[in-house]
Amino acid sequence: MDWLLILVLFGVAFYQRSHLRALQQRLEGLEGSLDHVRALLREGAAATAPEREAVPDASKPVDEAVRAAPEPAAAQEVSVPKSVKLVGGPKDVPAAAIDDTPVPTEAPVGPTDTVKPGLMERFSFDFEEIFGRNLFVWMGGVTLAVTGVLLVRYSIEAGLLTSSVRVALSFLFGIALLGGAEAAYRNAEKVRDERVCQALAGAGLATLYAGFYLAGTQYGLIGQTFAFLGLAIVTAVAVALSYRFGLPSAILGLVGGFAAPALVGSEEANLPLLALYLALVTGGLTQTGNRQRRPWLGMAALIGGLGWGGLLITGTGFSTTDVVALGLFFVLLGAILPSFLATEKFEQPLRLAAAAIASLQLAVLVDEGGYSPLAWGLYLLLGATLAFFGWQKPSMRPANAVAAAIGILLLGFWRDPATGSLIAVLIALTVMFAGVPLFHAIKGKDQLVDRIMLATVTTGLGLTTALTLDSSSNPLAGMACLALAALPVAGGKVLWSRADSISLALNVASAGLLAGLAANKLLPEWTLPVALGTIGAAIAWILRNRLAEHRAFLATASAFALAAILSLPATTGGLMELDALSETARDPHWPGLLRWLGASLPLVALTYFLRERLPRTIAEFAAALVLFKAALQVLPPIPSVWLAATAALLIRWKQPHREGAILGLLLATIAWAADPLARWLESGGGALLGDPFLLTDLPSVRQTLGFILPFAIVLGTARIAESRLIEQRVPLYWAALLPAFITAHVLFKQVFAVETLLAFERTGLAERILLETLLLGAAWLAAKGIAGLRANSLIASVLAGTALAHFALFTGFWHNPLFARQAVGPVPVANLALAMTVVAIAILLSLRVWLPRFRSTIDAAIMVVATVGAIALLRQVFAGTYLVQTPMSQSEDLLRSFLGILLGIAFLMIGSRRAERSWRIGSLVLMTGTVIKVFGFDAAGLEGLLQVASFLALGTSLIGIGWFYKRQLRAAPQD
């Protein structure tokens, strides 16, 4: 009760706030007009003297006061329009005296000026206007209305009066209040405040509402017919009094009308009579607001009615009469009254909200009513009413869309419906919420909401029907979806020539989706990808000339292509078809071939019809993957991969612009090549760390030739097209070198077939020498050019560099026969140590030709390799096949020093002959190292004559080398 009074007072204060603001503006206008008149009178121009004399006598005091006032120190020029009406000032000021001429006004009040008394007076007047003359009057009226209701309640609780007396007293009290209002209205000159009659009238109306409600519902003193007549009379009186007494009477009638049922507090309400009562109150106040051009009154009434509707449906056990009454009440609130509501600012959102709330309330009623034909009929009545008013007022059509959405949801919550009832409701919903928009489209009177409803409503009804009849194969649901698909098809035909591409795409998508639902219900489950693929291809063909017109058309066709692909694993056999990464033999699966081919149809169609490169490339990419998967259903993996490689070569030859298809085939082949490639890379990583690269660690020849080689072929044909990030096409044949090399390496490893560590010790060095020789030979072929190919020193350098890196890492570091158990052969000099040295020097000499910028570095590497090779040959003479098998003797150590001196002399002669300083420096480095070795290590262990002889030989050699080196320097040109 307290909250109700607070809300009422707040509403009244809000209403009075606008009036006070208007009054304040009027007073400011009056003050401005007086200021202008004073300025004109102060001018005292001779031309305006006659006009000034024509001013009535009432203006003389003002004129004298103005003349006596001192002249302002500063002035501002203002313009006075001729159309200004001076209210409260001189009544007969001629138009000539008030023109557009700028006139000075008084200067603003300075810091030392005193505040005008008028400011405080106006502030005091505003405060009194709000609390003294307005709010207290309205609070009194509301208090009188509440007093009547409280008196009735008190009499009920105390048992003082019989029910008949209580009702009679409420009627008498209400009539007395209305009489008092009329008396105050007729004696307005005595009362001098129109708010008194307005407050009394509002209180009397509220009391009469409560009285008729008590008589008809609480006590049953009068029948429902008399109660209806009484409430109708009170509503009519409220409307009439609002015209006589003004807006406050309608406001208090609104508050009292909606508050009466709650304040009386009936335990067992008569729902039909209460619904009728609320309908009359809401409708009467809505019409009153429209007639008086106060739309907010109708809005408030509509909100109050919807609020009461929410309270009414909280009950249970509704009878047939209750269902009918509440249903009609919701139809009134959701469709009829909003259509008559006249407000420009909030009309559309309020209609949408009213339709949504009323539809939800009616949906709850349908659910409480057990989805009976009567309850459904009332909801359909709401839809029909909205459709009718939408026909008359196009602005009402969005409300119809809201009701359609709630109706579809309500249909989805219907559990175990009778088939006949479901079909009947489905037809009715389709006609009202999709058939009517289609009719508008055919007549050319449609709006965007009609075009969207035509697509979305049919789709929603189809999905709901398919889910409700959820058996895997239901001909009835399939036929219903096919019938529903006819509407968006017709809509698409109508919209084909329109400029609304999005609506056309929505209707095409709706027709396709409904056709897919029908196929799912009418055909075996495994055929769904074929059906969706066929539908998607048909859509792509229909929209073939418009795919570039709008993104919506491309999105529609792409959506069905995606749906066809996603349906593959979701249907029977899908998971088995996806499990195709196994090399185990299996029988051909012809239904799988049909399913994957069907799913590829829309992608193939898009690759043919699309002209824009990016979406076409994506379609080609996906189509290649799906077609490859289709081949796997009937072909073994290796033939499928080779088929993909062949297709890539043909596409590169015949259709070189289709990079997307080749990239798709590349992804398909790498899926099979990934496992053997990973196995080789894992073993190769171990080899880089010193583990022997055995044959058992490699992929088999079948995997290599069946998966890695075709992958290399496809990778060699692929290119990345230019885009925003890439300015030109990027070929990928450089990346194909790695799988090509892996293929060649696996085939090469079959020659020696090194499967054990013992075999690796016997033949590992020979295998590496042969591999490096083959790489060097390939480098020379690339450098010279063969089979019509142009010579390419860069490729030659890469191949030779690979051979050199292989020698340096494996033969020179991890598996060097000088400190690893690697067989070089039993024959001195003519063994693998010489072969590995010759091959390494040959590689370096080749690089010296192809990379002349690095000749000095390469010369140093040649000298290092020659020195190590000579030491290995010397070691083989003393140790045999395995150089690490026998410890080094003193004689061998001395021969190493002698060998170093000989090699130093040889390097010096080469440098002198070729006039290359790098060889001479290398000679000096080698001989210096040899001298340090002899003096520091070799001679330290000798004694007697052997020591003397060794020093004599060393000294003589050094003198000879020095003489020879000096002579060579004189003969050599200065670098």
Side-chain angles (χ1 to χ4, degrees):
M1 182 65 184
D2 296 336
W3 282 106
L4 177 63
L5 290 175
I6 292 173
L7 291 175
V8 171
L9 292 175
F10 179 79
V12 174
F14 183 81
Y15 165 72
Q16 290 300 324
R17 176 174 171 269
S18 61
H19 284 268
L20 291 174
R21 184 176 297 173
L23 183 60
Q24 182 180 2
Q25 293 176 355
R26 183 178 179 184
L27 290 174
E28 291 175 354
L30 288 174
E31 291 176 356
S33 300
L34 288 175
D35 290 339
H36 292 314
V37 172
R38 290 169 181 166
L40 290 173
L41 294 177
R42 193 165 47 245
E43 290 293 328
T48 60
E51 288 80 356
R52 199 176 289 119
E53 292 177 359
V55 177
D57 295 339
S59 63
K60 290 182 179 180
V62 177
D63 187 37
E64 294 174 358
V66 173
R67 290 179 180 176
E71 290 294 328
Q76 296 178 347
E77 292 187 349
V78 297
S79 295
V80 181
K82 295 179 180 181
S83 60
V84 172
K85 182 179 180 181
L86 302 181
V87 182
K91 297 183 178 179
D92 298 324
V93 179
I98 306 175
D99 54 12
D100 295 335
T101 304
V103 296
T105 61
E106 295 181 0
V109 178
T112 60
D113 295 334
T114 58
V115 181
K116 296 181 179 179
L119 293 176
M120 293 300 298
E121 293 176 359
R122 285 198 300 272
F123 179 79
S124 176
F125 173 77
D126 291 345
F127 183 82
E128 293 174 355
E129 183 72 20
I130 294 175
F131 291 95
R133 299 183 58 184
N134 292 330
L135 287 184
F136 289 158
V137 174
W138 300 123
M139 289 172 62
V142 174
T143 303
L144 289 176
V146 175
T147 300
V149 178
L150 292 179
L151 285 174
V152 175
R153 172 176 285 184
Y154 175 75
S155 66
I156 295 173
E157 294 175 352
L160 299 177
L161 302 173
T162 62
S163 58
S164 301
V165 175
R166 298 168 193 162
V167 173
L169 288 177
S170 65
F171 283 131
L172 291 176
F173 185 64
I175 294 172
L177 289 174
L178 292 179
E182 181 65 21
Y185 180 78
R186 292 178 181 273
N187 296 277
E189 68 280 359
K190 296 180 179 180
V191 177
R192 294 184 179 181
D193 193 344
E194 62 179 3
R195 296 170 182 79
V196 175
C197 58
Q198 292 173 350
L200 293 174
L205 288 172
T207 304
L208 290 178
Y209 273 125
F212 276 107
Y213 179 67
L214 285 174
T217 302
Q218 182 71 21
Y219 304 123
L221 299 178
I222 58 177
Q224 293 184 359
T225 303
F226 289 102
F228 165 73
L229 292 175
L231 292 172
I233 292 172
V234 175
T235 302
V237 171
V239 173
L241 292 181
S242 66
Y243 288 98
R244 187 172 182 83
F245 298 137
L247 179 62
S249 178
I251 294 177
L252 293 177
L254 170 69
V255 176
F258 282 113
L263 293 176
V264 172
S266 176
E267 295 293 335
E268 296 181 359
N270 187 334
L271 283 182
L273 187 58
L274 180 57
L276 179 61
Y277 163 77
L278 293 171
L280 290 173
V281 172
T282 307
L285 291 172
T286 301
Q287 184 62 19
T288 301
N290 291 338
R291 292 289 301 275
Q292 297 180 1
R293 295 183 180 180
R294 296 185 176 98
W296 63 266
L297 181 60
M299 294 168 56
L302 191 59
I303 294 172
L306 291 171
W308 267 107
L311 293 176
L312 294 179
I313 61 173
T314 57
T316 57
F318 296 119
S319 64
T320 302
T321 307
D322 296 338
V323 172
V324 173
L326 292 177
L328 295 176
F329 178 60
F330 295 143
V331 172
L332 176 72
L333 296 180
I336 298 176
L337 291 183
S339 66
F340 291 106
L341 190 64
T343 173
E344 297 180 357
K345 189 174 183 181
F346 300 103
E347 181 177 5
Q348 194 67 9
L350 187 62
R351 287 174 176 174
L352 289 174
I357 296 173
S359 300
L360 285 173
Q361 292 173 347
L362 198 49
V364 174
L365 187 64
V366 172
D367 185 72
E368 289 291 335
Y371 297 89
S372 63
L374 176 61
W376 267 116
L378 291 170
Y379 192 90
L380 296 174
L381 177 62
L382 173 63
T385 307
L386 288 171
F388 172 77
F389 285 109
W391 199 311
Q392 301 296 325
K393 295 182 178 181
S395 60
M396 286 286 294
R397 294 179 187 176
N400 199 23
V402 174
I406 296 175
I408 294 172
L409 292 175
L410 183 61
L411 186 66
F413 283 105
W414 194 1
R415 292 291 176 262
D416 299 327
T419 303
S421 299
L422 177 64
I423 296 300
V425 172
L426 179 63
I427 293 174
L429 291 174
T430 303
V431 171
M432 284 185 299
F433 297 126
V436 173
L438 176 60
F439 182 79
H440 291 320
I442 294 173
K443 292 297 183 180
K445 298 180 180 180
D446 56 296
Q447 295 181 333
L448 177 61
V449 65
D450 297 311
R451 300 189 288 272
I452 295 177
M453 284 181 63
L454 181 58
T456 56
V457 169
T458 52
T459 302
L461 291 174
L463 286 171
T464 304
T465 304
L467 293 175
T468 303
L469 303 175
D470 56 357
S471 59
S472 59
S473 179
N474 195 317
L476 183 60
M479 295 172 62
C481 291
L482 279 180
L484 287 170
L487 275 75
V489 168
K493 186 176 180 181
V494 173
L495 299 174
W496 186 260
S497 58
R498 304 276 191 91
D500 190 356
S501 301
I502 295 179
S503 297
L504 175 59
L506 282 176
N507 279 272
V508 172
S510 175
L513 180 57
L514 290 170
L517 290 174
N520 186 41
K521 295 296 182 181
L522 297 175
L523 300 176
E525 184 187 7
W526 68 271
T527 62
L528 181 59
V530 180
L532 291 178
T534 304
I535 295 170
I539 290 176
W541 181 81
I542 292 171
L543 301 175
R544 61 189 181 280
N545 296 324
R546 307 187 69 170
L547 290 173
E549 179 180 322
H550 198 278
R551 291 291 183 186
F553 298 131
L554 176 60
T556 302
S558 302
F560 278 91
L562 180 62
I565 296 174
L566 294 179
S567 66
L568 287 165
T571 50
T572 302
L575 296 178
M576 180 186 68
E577 294 166 2
L578 284 177
D579 187 20
L581 293 179
S582 174
E583 296 184 50
T584 57
R586 60 178 182 177
D587 296 332
H589 184 55
W590 296 103
L593 174 65
L594 181 62
R595 284 160 48 85
W596 286 85
L597 288 177
S600 69
L601 289 177
L603 294 171
V604 174
L606 287 175
T607 60
Y608 183 77
F609 294 127
L610 284 173
R611 295 295 178 265
E612 190 176 355
R613 185 170 58 189
L614 179 59
R616 186 190 65 200
T617 301
I618 296 174
E620 293 170 355
F621 179 83
L625 287 175
V626 176
L627 289 173
F628 176 77
K629 195 68 175 180
L632 285 174
Q633 305 305 315
V634 294
L635 294 176
I638 291 179
S640 299
V641 174
W642 272 105
L643 180 62
T646 305
L649 291 174
L650 291 176
I651 292 172
R652 175 58 62 207
W653 179 32
K654 294 294 184 181
Q655 299 285 329
H657 61 282
R658 298 192 180 276
E659 288 91 357
I662 298 179
L663 290 176
L665 295 173
L666 176 63
L667 181 60
T669 53
I670 197 175
W672 288 94
D675 183 68
L677 284 174
R679 185 176 180 183
W680 188 93
L681 292 174
E682 182 181 2
S683 300
L688 293 176
L689 297 177
D691 295 334
F693 212 155
L694 303 179
L695 185 64
T696 54
D697 299 330
L698 298 173
S700 65
V701 176
R702 179 178 178 275
Q703 290 178 324
T704 303
L705 297 179
F707 301 133
I708 299 179
L709 180 59
F711 166 66
I713 294 173
V714 178
L715 186 59
T717 59
R719 292 184 301 180
I720 300 177
E722 64 269 17
S723 62
R724 296 179 180 178
L725 301 178
I726 302 176
E727 295 182 356
Q728 59 183 1
R729 287 185 174 89
V730 178
L732 299 180
Y733 57 82
W734 285 103
L737 292 177
L738 178 61
F741 172 77
I742 292 174
T743 302
H745 181 262
V746 172
L747 295 178
F748 170 77
K749 294 290 286 186
Q750 309 301 317
V751 176
F752 290 89
V754 180
E755 296 182 350
T756 62
L757 291 177
L758 183 60
F760 178 73
E761 293 174 358
R762 290 199 304 263
T763 60
L765 180 60
E767 184 183 56
R768 292 194 298 276
I769 293 172
L770 179 59
L771 177 59
E772 293 156 7
T773 303
L774 293 176
L775 289 174
L776 181 60
W780 276 102
L781 291 177
K784 296 299 182 181
I786 57 171
L789 296 178
R790 186 174 59 182
N792 193 322
S793 59
L794 178 59
I795 297 178
S797 301
V798 171
L799 291 172
T802 303
L804 180 62
H806 185 273
F807 169 81
L809 181 62
F810 296 106
T811 303
F813 185 71
W814 287 118
H815 309 297
N816 193 320
L818 288 174
F819 47 80
R821 188 175 177 80
Q822 293 286 290
V824 297
V827 181
V829 181
N831 53 52
L832 294 180
L834 178 63
M836 73 174 187
T837 305
V838 171
V839 170
I841 292 176
I843 294 172
L844 290 168
L845 291 175
S846 301
L847 289 173
R848 195 174 188 274
V849 175
W850 299 325
L851 301 174
R853 294 178 54 187
F854 303 97
R855 283 183 178 178
S856 298
T857 304
I858 295 173
D859 289 342
I862 291 174
M863 287 183 276
V864 171
V865 170
T867 302
V868 173
I871 293 174
L873 289 174
L874 178 63
R875 179 68 182 143
Q876 194 275 338
V877 174
F878 290 91
T881 301
Y882 295 99
L883 304 185
V884 295
Q885 185 171 328
T886 305
M888 183 177 59
S889 62
Q890 188 176 24
S891 301
E892 181 184 354
D893 194 19
L894 290 174
L895 288 176
R896 280 189 178 183
S897 302
F898 181 70
L899 183 61
I901 294 174
L902 292 179
L903 286 175
I905 295 173
F907 294 161
L908 179 59
M909 294 182 65
I910 294 173
S912 299
R913 182 179 295 275
R914 298 179 61 87
E916 293 180 355
R917 187 166 180 267
S918 60
W919 286 89
R920 298 197 300 269
I921 293 176
S923 171
L924 286 176
V925 171
L926 181 59
M927 286 190 290
T928 301
T930 303
V931 170
I932 293 174
K933 175 180 178 297
V934 171
F935 279 101
F937 301 98
D938 297 345
L942 298 179
E943 297 179 355
L945 293 176
L946 186 58
Q947 186 179 22
V948 173
S950 64
F951 275 95
L952 178 63
L954 180 60
T956 305
S957 300
L958 290 176
I959 294 173
I961 293 172
W963 172 82
F964 183 76
Y965 187 76
K966 183 176 180 180
R967 185 175 181 181
Q968 296 298 324
L969 286 178
R970 290 176 179 175
Q974 297 299 323
D975 293 338

